Structures are given as C-alpha cells and as structure tokens.
Amino acid sequence: MTSVQLVEVGPRDGLQNEQILLSIDDKVELISRSVDAGVRRVEAVSFVNPKRVPQMAGAEEVMAQVPRVDGVSYIGLVLNRRGLDRALTAAVDEVNAVVVATEEFSRRNQGCSVDEGIAAAIDVVHDAREAGLRTTVTIAVSFGCPFSGEVAPEWIGEIIARLTDGAAPDEIALADTIGVGVPAQVRTLADLAAAHAPGIPQRWHFHNTRNTGYANALTALECGAGALDASIGGFGGCPFAPAATGNIASEDLLYALDRSNVTTGVDMYGLIEAAEWLGRSLEKSVPALLGRAGGFPDAR
Amino acid sequence: MTSVQLVEVGPRDGLQNEQILLSIDDKVELISRSVDAGVRRVEAVSFVNPKRVPQMAGAEEVMAQVPRVDGVSYIGLVLNRRGLDRALTAAVDEVNAVVVATEEFSRRNQGCSVDEGIAAAIDVVHDAREAGLRTTVTIAVSFGCPFSGEVAPEWIGEIIARLTDGAAPDEIALADTIGVGVPAQVRTLADLAAAHAPGIPQRWHFHNTRNTGYANALTALECGAGALDASIGGFGGCPFAPAATGNIASEDLLYALDRSNVTTGVDMYGLIEAAEWLGRSLEKSVPALLGRAGGFPDAR
C-alpha cells in the first residue's frame, strides 16, 4: 500500500455539531482551503433538513461557490429522494447515503427502521447512478451503538450484502460513529466487506473519542482501504450521538501517513493552517495535535 | 497474543515534567491507586539528581511507603552507579537504565556521549544483576530526535547489539521520547531487536504527542511486545525534550486492550478514578479521553 485517498469531511461532519453557525462564505473558504492543500475528495454539504441540523443549511449556496477544480470531487450527504433532488440541482459529484445499523439509532437519526434505511439507500444509489453521480453508502455505528451497545459484525456483513445485491454502490464506508472501535474490529469488518462486496472499494470513517481512531485508520489502510475520512482540526461529531466528539484530524492522520511513506497528495501544513483558521471561526481550540507539536523535527 | 504487561510510568515519566510538586504522600497514593487497580509493574521513582528534576526528589521516602504487595514489582530509573546505590538502599525490585541514542540529546539529558551512556548502562546492568535486581535498558529517542531529526533504525539495532553483548539486560525498552513514531517504525525496530537481542523481551514506551502513540502501542503488541509503558491520565513528558507532552494514557490504552481481548489484569475504571484524582492534585485537566467519553456503552 503506497497511496490512499483522504476524504475531507470537515465541512460536513466536522461542522454539523458546532454551535457557532458558519456563514456560507466561511464554509466555502474551509472547502477551498482543503482543495488548495491538495485534497481531491471533499464531503462538502449535507442535504438534510436544516431544521434538524442548522449548520448544514445553505448547501446549494455553498455548492454554487466552491472552486470547480479538475480532479476535485464534491460529495453531498443524501438520505432520501428529496435530498437527492437537491444534490442534483446543486451539482455535487458524488452522493453519500447513510444506513444506520441499529434500530434505536436509526429511528432517532434517520426517522426510520434499519430495513427502511437500507431500502432508502438502495433507492438513492439507483437514482443517483442513473443521474450520473458516483455513489457511496455509509454504514453508521458499525463498531458499536450508544443505545444497543455491541453490534454484531455479522449483522454489518448482512447489511453490506443487502446493499451490494440491491444497488452495488461504487463504495462502501464503514463508520465508527461514536468512536468505540479497535483495530481488531476493523480487520473483521474489512474481511466481511471484502467477502460480501467483492471488488467494491472500502472507505472508513473514524472518530477519536477514545483514542483509537488513528490506530483504526492505519489498520484499515493495511486492510486495503481505498479512502479514509478525516476532518480538518479534528472538529466534529454527531448531534444525535452522545459524547461522539472528534473526527480523526486530517493533519494528524496525514502526519502518520507521510511518515509511513503513504502518499495522499495533500500538504499537511496547509491543513494545519486551515485548522487554525477554523478554530478562530468556531471560537474553539483545535483538537488536533500537529498544530501544537509541529511536524517531524529537522536536524539542527 | 492474549496478554501484555502494563507498566505504569505515571509516578516517574508522568510527573517529572509537572510544575506542581507532589508531596511524598501524594506520590505514594498515586502508586497505591495503580496497584489497587491491578497494575503489577510500576516505574515508581527515579534516582536522578533532584536538582535537575525536582519532582523526582524523595525517591527513598516514596519507596519506604509504597505497598509491598505480592507480585508487584517496583522499578527505579537509574543512570549510574550512584543512582544504583540509592536504588539498592531504597529496595526497588528492578532498575531501568537509559541510553540516549543521539549525541546532542545524550549530552543534554545524560551529560555524556552515547558511547559513554552505553558503557554506563552496561555497568548498571552488571552491578544491578549482581545485587539481585531485574534489569531493563531503555533506548531513548529511538524513533526520532528533536536535535538531530531522523534516527537510523540500524543505529538502534547496533545499540541493542552492544547492550546485549555487553550485559544482556532482562528487557530492552524502545522509547519514542518525543512522540514522532509511526507503526511502520515499530515493526522495523521490533524486527531489529529480535535479531540483535534474541530471546530478550521487548518493552515499548510511547508518547501521543502527534496522535500516533496508541497505534504504535497496538502495533508493538502485534510484534510480540512483553510490556507497554503508559501513564495514568496521559500526563507526562520529558523536561529536556521540547513539546514532548503526553505519555499514552494507561486508561485509554487499557480500553483498546480490553476491547481487543488482550488481558492485563488491570481495571480501567480504577485508573480513570486515579487520573481524576491526579488531575486535581496537579491542577490540570486530564489529557486522557476515557474519563470524558466513558467506556463501551451498555445496551439500554
């Protein structure tokens, strides 16, 4: 393994739980800074109900202003046909549909059962593909659930199989939504995904809530991950998941990847600057460590 | 791999960089709390010059009061014959001698060249073994140096070979003193250590300065680590290493180990309580995440 895609999810997952609402211009600046640093896939917007997630309001205005750079792909989170229609109007390049793996969390987060969520994701993938968009399905709480605790990996395998049979998305993303996972689980889920969705690239989404996120990401890479989600500065969380603070930080992940000779095409120092800017905008200190610690020391 | 030793280094590395000086009673309480939680090896004291590291003063008084529990082994850091004499008087169970792998850091930290440091460590191991103590040699800045940058793994291999030939310590510890390492380096160094010190157990010491510490620890475990250092609450650092904040936290490491079915005999919740107590004593917030996030959620 010598390269991996870094998917910058700061503009979506990084922001959605923040109390200070960023302006459209600030959201566009965050996205532009990530692109300037070399990121080529950005989860830029979410087409959810802005009454439920106020930070995600104005997705259309954001997409109207983002830099359209050759090779850069913008992802919009989409939960249903109505969201997909908005995504098509806003001209995103990819959609990310979400299936929540447990009943209680699915009802709270998506307002539907798991079965209904799977069916909705299959519909979104079909319709998005017909419209020419690249498609991902993310399986949330794949590593554990705040309401039901343990999540059997075999159940995640079954969801993967049903998604593959029903729609064969271009990518399957496994999400540790509340930051409880460990590398042993990553290996188990990677094997199950390879078995139930052969040939479909794997993307992984980790939170560092319990200091396992970076170990999980590096393990996913060993298991052949095509893409890793991370958020500038390590901001982020889920408004419906208690204590689900902290996506893994893009710059901290990049440090580990750079030092492991894994190429991403992304400049760590550009991300560190973007994180400092974002921290000022959100009036919060930056959770990521690289901005404070600095990169690997040069010889003096 | 189904078990590993957790070496609690909070009383030594965790404290030595803190500005608020703990009383002897508080140091004894920290050690007692870790033993009560099930820790069976504690790096309890350092026999260095208290003028250089004021927090380490009173090592003899600390050792006079620690609970002498069957199966619990107390380690004292020792740099030279004078330190060893103090360690013997204080009746520690083990000594940990330190070789710094780079010249500038060695001169600043130990006041001697690397060659002199290796010779001193060999002498300490010989004399300590003769006195009936278990011996470890830690190789500091094995993953990178704040002054000279990259550290060739082959050079670490040579130091290991010279220590093995000269004294064959009971354990060799590889330390990422400034928190720059990544798992790929762990694998390289583990292979070199196995080649140059066959049969000698490996112990690892990680800082989480750049969010790679837990990934490194779990990788070391995969490579057959016998022992992992960690510090209650994730306090700690090196007074002579700029920005070397943060040992990996014992409770956060334990979360990952517990969830990976690796047994340690240590109770995570006991460590979380100890970390909260220590944070109050040091008037600092606890760097570790488990106390804030809580353990893996129960089904509701």
Side-chain angles (χ1 to χ4, degrees):
Chain A
M1 173 59 60
T2 54
S3 73
V4 72
Q5 281 180 343
L6 183 76
V7 181
E8 174 56 49
V9 299
R12 204 275 303 165
D13 204 25
L15 292 184
Q16 67 179 14
N17 205 27
E18 292 297 331
Q19 296 305 305
I20 290 185
L21 299 183
L22 291 196
S23 67
I24 301 295
D25 283 355
D26 278 349
K27 290 184 204 174
V28 171
E29 175 155 357
L30 177 59
I31 293 164
S32 300
R33 281 174 176 264
S34 71
V35 170
D36 288 347
V39 175
R40 288 299 170 260
R41 288 180 80 192
V42 184
E43 194 153 297
V45 288
S46 175
F47 297 102
V48 294
N49 185 344
K51 285 185 191 150
R52 293 200 78 205
V53 191
Q55 188 72 267
M56 292 296 104
E60 288 81 356
E61 291 96 316
V62 170
M63 284 307 300
Q65 293 180 49
V66 293
R68 297 288 184 162
V69 176
D70 208 38
V72 171
S73 188
Y74 292 113
I75 307 166
L77 192 82
V78 161
L79 297 183
N80 49 35
R81 178 73 225 190
R82 180 171 150 66
L84 178 58
D85 288 338
R86 290 178 61 199
L88 291 170
T89 305
V92 297
D93 303 293
E94 310 181 37
V95 295
N96 184 6
V98 178
V99 169
V100 175
T102 59
E103 291 298 337
E104 176 76 11
F105 202 107
S106 182
R107 289 188 186 282
R108 293 196 191 210
N109 199 62
Q110 319 286 83
C112 68
S113 71
V114 178
D115 280 349
E116 289 164 348
I118 294 170
I122 288 172
D123 285 347
V124 164
V125 170
H126 273 298
D127 294 351
R129 177 177 292 135
E130 206 156 274
L133 299 191
R134 197 164 180 276
T135 58
T136 300
V137 179
T138 293
I139 304 175
V141 293
S142 289
F143 292 76
C145 170
F147 307 110
S148 47
E150 300 285 354
V151 175
E154 296 73 19
W155 170 235
I156 304 299
E158 183 175 332
I159 295 175
I160 293 169
R162 285 164 66 178
L163 291 169
T164 306
D165 292 347
D170 299 309
E171 182 179 68
I172 287 177
L174 293 159
D176 183 12
T177 310
I178 59 167
V180 291
V182 293
Q185 288 177 286
V186 175
R187 288 190 198 97
T188 301
L189 290 175
D191 286 348
L192 282 164
H196 290 294
I200 297 184
Q202 295 172 16
R203 173 177 160 193
W204 299 83
H205 180 95
F206 294 113
H207 286 245
N208 197 42
T209 314
R210 289 167 184 84
N211 255 329
T212 61
Y214 299 92
N216 291 339
L218 295 175
T219 302
L221 189 65
E222 278 176 53
C223 296
L228 297 170
D229 286 5
S231 141
I232 284 175
F235 293 97
C238 170
F240 310 114
T245 50
N247 285 88
I248 59 171
S250 307
E251 60 268 45
D252 291 8
L253 177 61
L254 205 55
Y255 174 84
L257 296 176
D258 286 350
R259 291 290 302 165
S260 309
N261 295 317
V262 177
T263 57
T264 59
V266 182
D267 171 45
M268 185 177 76
Y269 293 97
L271 296 181
I272 290 173
E273 278 180 37
E276 286 166 2
W277 170 85
L278 182 58
R280 288 194 298 275
S281 303
L282 294 171
E283 299 175 19
K284 276 192 155 179
S285 64
V286 175
L289 298 183
L290 257 290
R292 269 172 277 165
F296 191 88
D298 293 324
R300 294 186 193 177
Chain B
M1 172 58 61
T2 54
S3 72
V4 73
Q5 280 181 344
L6 184 75
V7 181
E8 175 56 48
V9 298
R12 204 274 303 164
D13 204 25
L15 291 184
Q16 68 180 14
N17 205 28
E18 292 297 331
Q19 296 306 305
I20 291 185
L21 298 183
L22 292 195
S23 67
I24 301 295
D25 283 353
D26 278 348
K27 291 184 203 175
V28 171
E29 175 155 358
L30 177 59
I31 293 164
S32 300
R33 280 174 178 263
S34 70
V35 170
D36 289 347
V39 174
R40 287 300 169 262
R41 288 180 81 193
V42 184
E43 195 154 293
V45 289
S46 174
F47 298 101
V48 293
N49 185 342
K51 285 185 193 151
R52 293 199 77 206
V53 190
Q55 187 72 267
M56 293 296 102
E60 288 80 357
E61 292 96 315
V62 170
M63 284 308 300
Q65 293 181 51
V66 293
R68 298 288 185 163
V69 176
D70 207 38
V72 171
S73 188
Y74 292 112
I75 307 165
L77 193 81
V78 161
L79 297 183
N80 48 36
R81 178 72 225 188
R82 181 171 150 66
L84 177 59
D85 288 339
R86 290 178 62 200
L88 291 170
T89 306
V92 298
D93 304 293
E94 311 181 35
V95 294
N96 184 7
V98 177
V99 170
V100 176
T102 60
E103 290 299 338
E104 175 76 11
F105 202 106
S106 182
R107 290 188 188 280
R108 294 196 190 210
N109 199 61
Q110 319 286 84
C112 68
S113 70
V114 178
D115 280 349
E116 289 164 348
I118 293 171
I122 287 171
D123 285 347
V124 165
V125 169
H126 273 298
D127 293 352
R129 178 178 291 136
E130 206 156 90
L133 299 192
R134 196 164 182 276
T135 58
T136 300
V137 180
T138 292
I139 305 175
V141 293
S142 288
F143 292 76
C145 170
F147 307 111
S148 47
E150 300 284 353
V151 175
E154 295 73 20
W155 171 235
I156 303 300
E158 183 174 333
I159 295 175
I160 293 169
R162 286 163 65 178
L163 292 169
T164 305
D165 292 348
D170 299 309
E171 180 178 69
I172 286 178
L174 293 159
D176 183 11
T177 310
I178 59 166
V180 291
V182 293
Q185 287 177 286
V186 175
R187 289 190 197 98
T188 301
L189 290 174
D191 286 348
L192 282 164
H196 291 293
I200 297 184
Q202 295 172 15
R203 173 178 159 191
W204 300 83
H205 179 95
F206 295 112
H207 286 245
N208 197 41
T209 314
R210 290 166 183 83
N211 255 329
T212 61
Y214 298 91
N216 291 339
L218 295 174
T219 301
L221 190 66
E222 278 175 53
C223 296
L228 297 171
D229 286 5
S231 143
I232 284 174
F235 293 97
C238 171
F240 309 115
T245 49
N247 286 89
I248 58 171
S250 307
E251 61 267 45
D252 292 8
L253 177 62
L254 205 55
Y255 174 84
L257 297 176
D258 285 351
R259 291 291 301 167
S260 309
N261 295 316
V262 177
T263 57
T264 58
V266 182
D267 170 45
M268 184 177 77
Y269 293 97
L271 296 181
I272 290 173
E273 277 179 37
E276 286 165 3
W277 170 84
L278 182 57
R280 287 193 299 274
S281 302
L282 295 171
E283 300 175 18
K284 276 191 154 182
S285 64
V286 175
L289 298 182
L290 257 291
R292 270 171 276 165
F296 190 89
D298 292 323
R300 291 189 195 174

